[in-house]
Amino acid sequence: MIRAPAGGVILALVWLACLSSPGVSAAPAIEGPQVLAPAYVASEFRAPAAGSYSLPVLGDAVDGVVLDSDGRERRLFDQFGDDKLVLLSFIYSSCSDANGCPLATGVLYSVLRKMRDQPGLRDRVRIISLSFDPVFDTPDAMALYGAGLAGQGDWRFLTTGSAEALQPILDGYGQSVIRDVDDRGDALPSFSHILRVYLIDANRKIRNIYSVSFLDRDLLIADLETVLLDRDATTVESNHPDTRPVATLSRPGDPRDGYLSGQYQTRSLALQRRHGTPADLLALTERPPLGLPPVPQPEANPVTRAKVALGRKLFFDRRLSLNNTFSCAMCHVPEQGFTSNELATAVGFEGRSVRRNAPTLYNVAYLGRLFHDGREETLEQQVWGPLLAANEMANPSVGAVVGKIHGLSDYQGLFEAAFAGRPVGMETLGMALASYQRTLLAGDSAFDRWYFGGQSDAISEPARRGFALFTGKAGCVGCHPVGEHDALFTDDQLHNTGTGYRESMGITPESHRVVLAPGVVVEVPHAVIDSVGEPPPPDLGRYEITQDPDDRWKYRTPSLRNVALSAPYMHNGSIGSLREVVAFYNAGGVDNPLRDARIHPLGLSETEIDDLVDFLRSLTGGNVDAIVADAFAAPVGDVTRQANK
């Protein structure tokens, strides 16, 4: 028989009415304990502005086995959803304490109502109420409890199948719960407990814990917006080193988390605030970080300190473009994984669109195929592609570039010193830029310390499960191999996953979400966008190089090292997050007649997808910050100086 949680529901609905009414200044006059919670009266303080403070990580959220309102067994983390902020409350449905479960339900209901007109926030927040009364709060009882709140927003009511399943969850969240007993010691349908509500971010980190005294609607809203605005908040150390930030200098120049909120504020980093420290880049090529093999040294262009310094100067010099405004580093931004986190496809000379995503330059020294279509084989040759492309650096000829560099006073003697008396030329300029790029070696990741270094606690248990999936059920290792002593995580081959096919065939959604301003989002029909914009340029991948029909829509396998730093993903930047990438492959990519046979549906659960993502995040090199800090110390060509024109 289902126990109807009538008392708790009725009291909760009374409090909902109270909290939803404007100008409430006192608690409702009903029997029960004295109302102490500030939520029942006019607030005595104003919540701080979102983003004017930070919420450091307080610890890890805890997973467990729960039952949804349909009685299906689920993992708690699966209920959290993708890229959602979660407000987690622990309740029991028959609670009659005005300062207990009905208070939490009432405040969370008020939060939902407040978010109705804030789609950027509303769509990113999920509320979960988990019962700590598995004896009486069956799935049917929780469904009945939530029925009065149906249609109000993204709110899930869960329970557990037993006290044994519940206890690890309560312990993990530090939630103290004691069932009341009568004089004979028999269990009563009531509990003694301390009310807690937890704010959990999309990375499963606890960012705030609210008790009765701090459970205020406006404070919760401000905290939710602050977390969305501050993805890069300080992470506390935990038992596993891979939860610590290893790339604190790597992030977009203007983080867009929370951009859909009307409270969004820009946090663009000014160029003048970039302070760096030069690094011994040559030493990286002599002693590569853990997990990386020896660096190939071209016989015609061995890496030297003078060549690296010269190549580094050229890489950041905007005078290498036709009108002195564009450098290599403006598509391959050091603090953005030597790619561009803010653009799906690169934007080159005078804002001209480039049809493909800017690939990362980390560990490019090991690649035998360069560009997404594999059309070049050496870094020395590769550099001339962007230098001469009309939509990248737009130089009219090799001679124009060489002549310009030859005429700049600050390059006098540098080429001769680096190349045994040889002046700047097509060959030496390519060799210098290639030498710098060969030093961008990022390894010694948490994964490397665990797998190659034997450090048993270097990565978390989810990341270890993710690696087992990577090499097993998911089959990722087929294109991203791992060796006995090192791993590049790429087969350096080209494959058709269906991404290029979908784009070429014009397979698009009927409408697109377009952000007009922070907090202002509209759905625009695809036909309208087509009518006002240029169609995307055709892209057939490797076929354009070989003219072999079987090579249509094939693109080079990227290395997965440092992949957490190099969003967006795929050759066209069409996928924005690692989780979306894993979901794409879990679905089998995009079916087409030439799809690689290794691409097929994987049957991964939501938890397995999360584990794979945790593993991929463990591949960020431990020396990334040193490389970025060195880049920050590099000189940037000053186009304001007459002598440099």
Side-chain angles (χ1 to χ4, degrees), residues 115-124 260 513 519-521:
M115 292 192 301
R116 284 179 179 176
D117 298 325
Q118 300 181 49
L121 184 60
R122 179 195 65 211
D123 296 342
R124 296 288 301 278
L260 296 182
R513 297 184 74 196
V520 182
V521 183

Side-chain angles (χ1 to χ4, degrees), residues 540-554 594:
L540 296 176
R542 182 67 173 172
Y543 169 80
E544 297 177 4
I545 310 305
T546 66
Q547 299 296 299
D548 182 345
D550 287 341
D551 284 341
R552 283 173 291 170
W553 310 301
K554 284 185 178 180
L594 298 175

Side-chain angles (χ1 to χ4, degrees), residues 172-194:
Y173 286 96
Q175 181 71 61
S176 176
V177 175
I178 302 174
R179 182 179 287 277
D180 296 334
V181 296
D182 60 19
D183 294 339
R184 295 176 299 180
D186 294 331
L188 295 172
S190 60
F191 293 82
S192 298
H193 69 99
I194 299 174

